[in-house]
Amino acid sequence: MNLVVVSNRVARGKPNEPMTGGLAAALLPVVEHSGAIWVGSSGRVRDGHQKEPFAEIEALGSGAIATLDLPAAHYGGYYEGFANSALWPALHSRSDLIRVSRDDYVSYREVNAFMARALMRFRKAQTAFWVQDYHFLALGAELRDLGVDDPIGFFLHTPWPVAAVMQGVPNHRELITAMLAYDLIGFQTNDDCQNFLGYVAGELGLAVEDGVAISQHGRTRCEVFPIGIDAEKFAQYAAKSASHPDVSRLRRSLNGERLAIGVDRLDYSKGLVNRISAFDRLWTEHPHFARSISLLQIANPSRGAIEAYGNLQNEVARLVSDVNGRHGEADWTPIRYLNKGFSQAVLAGLYRTAQIGVVTPLHDGMNLVAKEYVAAQNPADPGVLVLSKFAGAANELDAALLVNPHDIDGMARAIAVAAAMPLTERKMRWDAMMKKLRGHTIQQWSADFVAELEKCRTEKAAVAPLANQPPQALRWLKSAISGVRLI
């Protein structure tokens, strides 16, 4: 079977270059080893007058990357608008941050339609499409509208909230009805899957049985596929990185103090304000930890054109400055705060240098940083993971110190416990978590999903779509909205 993987962003797989995000890092080994074609945005835009979407193609391991210039007229409304100012806050249960217009939704659907047309050039006999994440909720429906009857699967890397939150997203019924064109929809956790099925049954009034939703498209199976990492590869990166200048300079600068590390995109879902407040509380309530524990917080800015992100960047920078001003000394900085990305190879070395990993999002689909931190540790002297119970990774890494990121005092206590944990307990917890990581790798994740996609499509072909229901108007925009030029 020919596999076409689709996501908003792609990565080149160069270990010495910064990664663009967890999704890109996760998909790299899938494409490199499976021979798949990975299609995504080039990061550039065009005026939209070209007759056919233009793709640049380059080799990636046994697979290939194809990048597209997206239409300039719709990119802002699609990406900064509907995807990241409506869907992202809703998916992370922050409906108070939804800021979106009708035009943004039009642009979102238009870019989904544009991508569907672009994918037709990669369609061969025995092709399956695997669509990634919230940028392309409607892409499966657009492919069906073009006559594609191949297997089409979708995986959501973020959480899926309760129905009441999704109801705050404009056009939510149309959008989620379109999602049911997928043969298989994968989620990070059982809660996410059940929330989605609850919406389908309660809001759309559709039949749901044993994880299968029945709609005008036929059968859509919803299952849980917790995403993993290549733990052995990450461990190799960590072991080899000791001589890297960034890592060796950090190690020399510590002067015997314990280091905690946080690595996040600068996003309101990551709980950075609460995390920094917890370290502030630690040094305030337990002054003896001053000079003995410091925090390295790497926070790579993103989506700076969106107001909520600009506000967050200012708030975090101000808070770090305040905390360092209160607790710092002439020769000691409590929080080292960096607004730049690092390659996976360097990150692995930074993780291994840190005795405490702090991964405390307010809400996260999985959070691969938690898994990377564990995989990077020295087996003879591993660090301790402090992990939010609201990250999907907490379902697997239950040997971490699980915390409520809204409980500042509780997080401060957990950091203190981590700093004082004896070697025997640290090794016991690390062994338990590494066993989980080795048993649920990124390779196994992709193989499980693709195998289930083939199975679901076979089942769906045996069941006729529901009678007496009109086909979904997937090109609803042409008749519903006047005065909008379609690509």
Side-chain angles (χ1 to χ4, degrees), residues 165-230:
V165 173
M166 282 308 298
Q167 288 164 2
V169 176
N171 305 96
H172 58 93
R173 289 177 61 88
E174 293 170 353
L175 196 56
I176 297 172
T177 298
M179 287 180 68
L180 296 176
Y182 289 112
D183 297 300
L184 175 64
I185 301 178
F187 299 90
Q188 299 277 26
T189 71
N190 186 61
D191 285 348
D192 300 329
C193 186
Q194 292 306 311
N195 285 344
F196 180 82
L197 290 172
Y199 176 99
V200 169
E203 180 69 18
L204 301 182
L206 298 177
V208 174
E209 184 176 352
D210 295 330
V212 176
I214 309 298
S215 74
Q216 63 204 46
H217 298 287
R219 295 163 58 87
T220 300
R221 180 170 294 280
C222 300
E223 291 195 16
V224 177
F225 300 89
I227 195 169
I229 64 169
D230 188 335

Coordinates of all heavy atoms in Angstrom, one line a residue, residues 165-230:
V165 N -17.6 22.6 25.2 CA -16.5 23.4 24.7 C -16.5 23.5 23.2 O -16.4 24.6 22.6 CB -15.2 22.9 25.2 CG1 -14.0 23.7 24.6 CG2 -15.1 23.0 26.8
M166 N -16.7 22.3 22.5 CA -16.7 22.3 21.0 C -17.8 23.1 20.5 O -17.7 23.7 19.4 CB -16.7 20.9 20.5 CG -15.4 20.2 20.6 SD -14.0 21.1 19.8 CE -14.5 21.2 18.1
Q167 N -18.9 23.2 21.2 CA -20.1 24.0 20.7 C -19.8 25.5 20.7 O -20.5 26.2 20.0 CB -21.3 23.7 21.6 CG -21.8 22.3 21.5 CD -22.8 21.9 22.6 OE1 -23.0 22.7 23.5 NE2 -23.2 20.7 22.6
G168 N -18.7 25.9 21.3 CA -18.3 27.3 21.2 C -17.5 27.6 19.9 O -17.2 28.8 19.7
V169 N -17.2 26.6 19.1 CA -16.5 26.8 17.9 C -17.5 27.1 16.8 O -18.4 26.3 16.5 CB -15.6 25.6 17.5 CG1 -15.0 25.8 16.1 CG2 -14.6 25.3 18.5
P170 N -17.4 28.2 16.1 CA -18.3 28.5 15.0 C -18.3 27.4 13.9 O -17.2 26.8 13.6 CB -17.8 29.8 14.4 CG -17.1 30.5 15.5 CD -16.5 29.4 16.3
N171 N -19.5 27.0 13.4 CA -19.6 26.0 12.4 C -19.2 24.6 12.8 O -18.8 23.8 12.0 CB -18.8 26.4 11.1 CG -19.2 27.8 10.6 OD1 -18.5 28.8 10.9 ND2 -20.2 27.9 9.8
H172 N -19.3 24.4 14.1 CA -18.8 23.1 14.7 C -19.5 21.9 14.1 O -19.0 20.9 13.9 CB -18.8 23.1 16.2 CG -20.2 23.4 16.8 ND1 -21.1 22.4 17.1 CD2 -20.8 24.5 17.1 CE1 -22.2 22.9 17.6 NE2 -22.1 24.2 17.6
R173 N -20.8 22.1 13.9 CA -21.6 20.9 13.4 C -21.2 20.5 12.0 O -21.0 19.4 11.7 CB -23.1 21.2 13.4 CG -23.7 21.3 14.8 CD -25.2 21.7 14.7 NE -26.0 20.7 14.0 CZ -26.5 19.6 14.5 NH1 -26.4 19.3 15.8 NH2 -27.2 18.8 13.7
E174 N -21.0 21.5 11.1 CA -20.6 21.3 9.7 C -19.2 20.6 9.7 O -18.9 19.7 9.0 CB -20.5 22.6 8.9 CG -21.9 23.2 8.7 CD -21.8 24.6 8.1 OE1 -20.6 25.1 8.0 OE2 -22.8 25.1 7.7
L175 N -18.3 21.1 10.6 CA -16.9 20.7 10.6 C -16.8 19.2 11.1 O -16.1 18.4 10.5 CB -16.1 21.6 11.5 CG -14.6 21.6 11.3 CD1 -14.2 21.8 9.9 CD2 -13.9 22.6 12.2
I176 N -17.5 18.9 12.2 CA -17.4 17.6 12.7 C -18.2 16.6 11.9 O -17.8 15.4 11.8 CB -17.8 17.6 14.2 CG1 -16.9 18.5 15.0 CG2 -17.8 16.2 14.8 CD1 -17.3 18.8 16.4
T177 N -19.2 17.0 11.2 CA -19.9 16.1 10.3 C -18.9 15.8 9.1 O -18.9 14.6 8.7 CB -21.2 16.8 9.7 OG1 -22.1 17.0 10.8 CG2 -21.8 15.9 8.6
A178 N -18.2 16.8 8.7 CA -17.2 16.5 7.6 C -16.1 15.5 8.1 O -15.6 14.7 7.3 CB -16.5 17.9 7.2
M179 N -15.7 15.6 9.4 CA -14.7 14.6 9.9 C -15.2 13.2 9.7 O -14.3 12.3 9.6 CB -14.5 14.9 11.4 CG -13.7 16.2 11.7 SD -13.4 16.4 13.4 CE -12.3 15.1 13.8
L180 N -16.5 12.9 9.7 CA -16.9 11.6 9.6 C -16.7 11.0 8.2 O -17.1 9.8 8.0 CB -18.4 11.5 10.0 CG -18.6 11.9 11.5 CD1 -20.1 11.9 11.9 CD2 -17.9 11.0 12.5
A181 N -16.2 11.7 7.3 CA -15.7 11.2 6.0 C -14.5 10.3 6.2 O -14.2 9.5 5.3 CB -15.5 12.3 5.0
Y182 N -13.8 10.4 7.3 CA -12.6 9.6 7.5 C -13.1 8.2 7.9 O -14.1 8.0 8.6 CB -11.8 10.2 8.7 CG -11.1 11.4 8.3 CD1 -11.4 12.6 8.9 CD2 -10.0 11.4 7.4 CE1 -10.7 13.8 8.6 CE2 -9.3 12.6 7.1 CZ -9.7 13.8 7.7 OH -9.0 14.9 7.3
D183 N -12.3 7.2 7.5 CA -12.6 5.8 7.8 C -12.2 5.5 9.3 O -12.8 4.7 10.0 CB -11.8 4.8 6.9 CG -12.2 4.9 5.5 OD1 -13.4 4.7 5.2 OD2 -11.4 5.3 4.6
L184 N -11.1 6.2 9.7 CA -10.6 5.9 11.1 C -10.1 7.3 11.6 O -9.4 8.0 11.0 CB -9.4 5.0 11.0 CG -8.6 4.7 12.3 CD1 -9.5 4.0 13.3 CD2 -7.4 3.8 12.0
I185 N -10.5 7.6 12.9 CA -10.0 8.7 13.6 C -9.3 8.3 14.8 O -9.9 7.5 15.7 CB -11.2 9.7 13.9 CG1 -11.9 10.1 12.7 CG2 -10.7 10.9 14.7 CD1 -13.1 11.0 12.9
G186 N -8.1 8.7 15.0 CA -7.3 8.3 16.1 C -7.1 9.4 17.1 O -7.0 10.6 16.8
F187 N -7.1 9.0 18.4 CA -6.9 10.0 19.5 C -5.8 9.5 20.4 O -5.4 8.4 20.4 CB -8.2 10.1 20.3 CG -9.4 10.6 19.5 CD1 -10.2 9.7 18.9 CD2 -9.7 11.9 19.4 CE1 -11.3 10.1 18.1 CE2 -10.7 12.4 18.7 CZ -11.6 11.5 18.0
Q188 N -5.3 10.5 21.2 CA -4.2 10.2 22.1 C -4.7 9.4 23.4 O -3.9 8.5 23.9 CB -3.5 11.5 22.6 CG -2.9 12.3 21.5 CD -1.5 11.9 21.1 OE1 -1.1 10.8 21.3 NE2 -0.7 12.8 20.6
T189 N -5.8 9.7 23.9 CA -6.3 9.1 25.1 C -7.8 8.6 25.0 O -8.5 9.1 24.1 CB -6.2 10.0 26.3 OG1 -7.2 11.1 26.2 CG2 -4.8 10.7 26.4
N190 N -8.2 7.8 25.9 CA -9.6 7.3 25.9 C -10.5 8.4 26.2 O -11.6 8.5 25.6 CB -9.7 6.2 26.9 CG -11.1 5.5 26.8 OD1 -11.5 5.0 25.8 ND2 -11.9 5.6 27.9
D191 N -10.2 9.4 27.0 CA -11.0 10.5 27.3 C -11.3 11.3 26.1 O -12.4 11.7 25.8 CB -10.4 11.4 28.4 CG -10.5 10.8 29.8 OD1 -11.2 9.8 30.0 OD2 -9.8 11.3 30.7
D192 N -10.3 11.6 25.3 CA -10.4 12.3 24.0 C -11.4 11.6 23.1 O -12.3 12.2 22.5 CB -9.1 12.5 23.3 CG -8.1 13.2 24.1 OD1 -8.5 14.1 24.9 OD2 -6.9 13.0 24.0
C193 N -11.2 10.3 23.0 CA -12.1 9.5 22.1 C -13.5 9.5 22.5 O -14.4 9.7 21.7 CB -11.5 8.0 22.0 SG -12.4 7.0 20.8
Q194 N -13.7 9.3 23.8 CA -15.1 9.3 24.4 C -15.7 10.7 24.2 O -17.0 10.8 24.0 CB -15.1 8.8 25.8 CG -14.7 7.4 26.0 CD -15.6 6.5 25.1 OE1 -16.8 6.6 25.1 NE2 -14.9 5.6 24.4
N195 N -15.0 11.8 24.4 CA -15.5 13.1 24.2 C -16.0 13.3 22.8 O -17.1 13.9 22.6 CB -14.5 14.2 24.6 CG -14.3 14.3 26.1 OD1 -15.1 13.9 26.9 ND2 -13.2 14.9 26.5
F196 N -15.2 12.8 21.8 CA -15.6 13.0 20.4 C -16.9 12.2 20.2 O -17.9 12.7 19.5 CB -14.5 12.5 19.5 CG -14.8 12.6 18.1 CD1 -14.7 13.8 17.4 CD2 -15.3 11.5 17.4 CE1 -15.0 13.9 16.0 CE2 -15.6 11.6 16.0 CZ -15.5 12.8 15.3
L197 N -16.9 10.9 20.6 CA -18.1 10.1 20.3 C -19.3 10.7 21.1 O -20.4 10.6 20.6 CB -17.8 8.7 20.8 CG -16.8 7.9 19.9 CD1 -16.5 6.6 20.5 CD2 -17.4 7.7 18.5
G198 N -19.1 11.3 22.2 CA -20.2 11.9 23.0 C -20.8 13.0 22.2 O -22.0 13.2 22.1
Y199 N -19.9 13.8 21.5 CA -20.4 14.9 20.7 C -21.2 14.4 19.5 O -22.3 14.8 19.2 CB -19.3 15.8 20.2 CG -19.7 16.9 19.2 CD1 -19.9 18.2 19.7 CD2 -20.0 16.6 17.9 CE1 -20.3 19.2 18.8 CE2 -20.4 17.6 17.0 CZ -20.6 18.8 17.5 OH -21.0 19.8 16.6
V200 N -20.7 13.3 18.8 CA -21.3 12.8 17.7 C -22.7 12.3 18.0 O -23.7 12.5 17.3 CB -20.5 11.7 17.0 CG1 -21.2 10.9 16.0 CG2 -19.2 12.3 16.4
A201 N -22.8 11.6 19.1 CA -24.1 11.0 19.5 C -25.1 12.1 20.0 O -26.2 12.1 19.7 CB -23.9 9.9 20.6
G202 N -24.6 13.0 20.9 CA -25.4 13.9 21.6 C -25.8 15.1 20.7 O -26.9 15.6 20.7
E203 N -24.8 15.7 20.0 CA -25.0 16.9 19.2 C -25.5 16.6 17.8 O -26.4 17.3 17.3 CB -23.7 17.7 19.1 CG -23.8 19.0 18.4 CD -24.7 20.1 19.1 OE1 -24.9 19.9 20.3 OE2 -25.1 21.0 18.4
L204 N -25.0 15.6 17.2 CA -25.3 15.2 15.8 C -26.5 14.2 15.8 O -27.1 14.0 14.7 CB -24.1 14.7 15.0 CG -23.0 15.7 14.9 CD1 -21.9 15.1 14.0 CD2 -23.4 17.0 14.3
G205 N -26.7 13.5 16.9 CA -27.8 12.6 17.0 C -27.5 11.3 16.1 O -28.5 10.6 15.7
L206 N -26.3 11.0 15.9 CA -25.9 9.8 15.1 C -25.7 8.6 16.0 O -25.4 8.7 17.2 CB -24.6 10.1 14.3 CG -24.7 11.2 13.3 CD1 -23.4 11.5 12.7 CD2 -25.8 11.0 12.3
A207 N -25.9 7.4 15.4 CA -25.7 6.1 16.1 C -24.2 5.9 16.3 O -23.4 6.1 15.4 CB -26.3 5.0 15.3
V208 N -23.9 5.5 17.5 CA -22.5 5.1 17.9 C -22.6 3.8 18.6 O -23.3 3.6 19.6 CB -21.9 6.2 18.8 CG1 -20.5 5.7 19.3 CG2 -21.8 7.5 18.1
E209 N -21.8 2.9 18.1 CA -21.7 1.5 18.8 C -20.3 1.0 18.7 O -19.7 0.9 17.6 CB -22.7 0.6 18.0 CG -22.8 -0.8 18.7 CD -23.9 -1.7 18.0 OE1 -24.6 -1.2 17.1 OE2 -23.9 -2.9 18.4
D210 N -19.8 0.6 19.8 CA -18.5 0.0 19.9 C -17.4 0.8 19.2 O -16.5 0.3 18.5 CB -18.5 -1.4 19.3 CG -19.3 -2.4 20.1 OD1 -19.5 -2.2 21.3 OD2 -19.9 -3.3 19.5
G211 N -17.5 2.1 19.5 CA -16.5 3.0 18.9 C -16.7 3.4 17.4 O -15.8 4.0 16.8
V212 N -17.8 3.0 16.8 CA -18.0 3.3 15.4 C -19.2 4.2 15.3 O -20.3 3.9 15.9 CB -18.3 2.0 14.6 CG1 -18.7 2.3 13.2 CG2 -17.1 1.0 14.7
A213 N -19.0 5.3 14.6 CA -20.1 6.3 14.3 C -20.6 6.0 12.9 O -19.9 5.8 12.0 CB -19.6 7.7 14.4
I214 N -22.0 6.0 12.8 CA -22.6 5.7 11.5 C -23.2 7.1 11.0 O -24.0 7.7 11.7 CB -23.8 4.7 11.7 CG1 -23.3 3.4 12.4 CG2 -24.3 4.4 10.3 CD1 -22.2 2.7 11.7
S215 N -22.8 7.5 9.8 CA -23.2 8.7 9.3 C -23.5 8.5 7.8 O -23.5 7.4 7.3 CB -22.1 9.8 9.4 OG -21.1 9.6 8.5
Q216 N -23.8 9.6 7.1 CA -24.1 9.6 5.7 C -22.9 9.0 4.9 O -23.0 8.6 3.8 CB -24.5 10.9 5.2 CG -23.4 12.0 5.3 CD -23.9 13.4 5.3 OE1 -24.8 13.7 6.1 NE2 -23.3 14.3 4.6
H217 N -21.7 9.1 5.5 CA -20.5 8.6 4.8 C -20.3 7.1 5.0 O -19.5 6.5 4.4 CB -19.3 9.3 5.4 CG -19.3 10.8 5.1 ND1 -19.0 11.3 3.9 CD2 -19.5 11.8 6.0 CE1 -19.1 12.7 4.0 NE2 -19.3 13.0 5.2
G218 N -21.1 6.5 6.0 CA -20.9 5.1 6.3 C -20.4 5.0 7.7 O -20.8 5.7 8.6
R219 N -19.4 4.1 7.9 CA -18.8 3.8 9.2 C -17.5 4.6 9.4 O -16.6 4.6 8.6 CB -18.6 2.3 9.4 CG -19.8 1.5 9.3 CD -19.4 0.0 9.0 NE -18.5 -0.5 10.0 CZ -18.9 -1.1 11.2 NH1 -20.2 -1.2 11.5 NH2 -18.0 -1.6 12.0
T220 N -17.4 5.2 10.6 CA -16.1 5.8 11.0 C -15.7 5.2 12.4 O -16.4 5.4 13.4 CB -16.3 7.4 11.1 OG1 -16.6 7.9 9.9 CG2 -15.0 8.0 11.6
R221 N -14.6 4.5 12.4 CA -14.1 3.9 13.6 C -13.3 4.9 14.4 O -12.4 5.6 13.8 CB -13.4 2.7 13.4 CG -12.8 2.0 14.7 CD -12.3 0.6 14.4 NE -13.3 -0.3 14.0 CZ -14.2 -0.9 14.8 NH1 -14.1 -0.7 16.1 NH2 -15.1 -1.8 14.4
C222 N -13.5 5.1 15.7 CA -12.7 6.0 16.5 C -11.9 5.1 17.6 O -12.5 4.3 18.3 CB -13.6 7.0 17.2 SG -14.6 8.0 16.1
E223 N -10.6 5.3 17.6 CA -9.8 4.4 18.5 C -8.7 5.3 19.1 O -8.4 6.4 18.7 CB -9.2 3.3 17.7 CG -10.2 2.2 17.3 CD -9.5 0.9 16.9 OE1 -8.3 0.7 17.2 OE2 -10.2 0.1 16.3
V224 N -8.0 4.7 20.1 CA -7.0 5.4 20.8 C -5.6 4.8 20.4 O -5.4 3.6 20.4 CB -7.1 5.2 22.3 CG1 -6.0 5.8 23.1 CG2 -8.5 5.8 22.8
F225 N -4.7 5.7 20.0 CA -3.4 5.3 19.6 C -2.4 6.2 20.2 O -2.0 7.3 19.6 CB -3.2 5.4 18.0 CG -4.1 4.5 17.2 CD1 -5.4 5.0 16.9 CD2 -3.8 3.3 16.9 CE1 -6.3 4.3 16.1 CE2 -4.7 2.5 16.1 CZ -5.9 3.0 15.7
P226 N -1.9 6.0 21.5 CA -1.0 6.9 22.1 C 0.3 6.9 21.4 O 0.9 5.9 21.1 CB -0.8 6.2 23.5 CG -1.9 5.3 23.7 CD -2.3 4.8 22.3
I227 N 0.7 8.1 21.0 CA 1.9 8.3 20.2 C 3.2 8.1 21.0 O 3.2 8.5 22.2 CB 1.9 9.7 19.5 CG1 3.0 9.7 18.4 CG2 2.2 10.8 20.5 CD1 2.8 10.9 17.5
G228 N 4.2 7.5 20.4 CA 5.4 7.2 21.2 C 6.6 7.9 20.5 O 6.5 8.8 19.7
I229 N 7.8 7.6 20.9 CA 9.0 8.1 20.4 C 10.0 6.9 20.1 O 9.7 5.8 20.4 CB 9.8 9.1 21.4 CG1 10.2 8.3 22.6 CG2 8.9 10.3 21.7 CD1 11.1 9.2 23.5
D230 N 11.1 7.2 19.4 CA 12.1 6.2 19.2 C 13.1 6.4 20.4 O 14.0 7.1 20.4 CB 12.9 6.5 17.9 CG 13.8 5.4 17.5 OD1 14.3 4.7 18.5 OD2 14.1 5.2 16.3

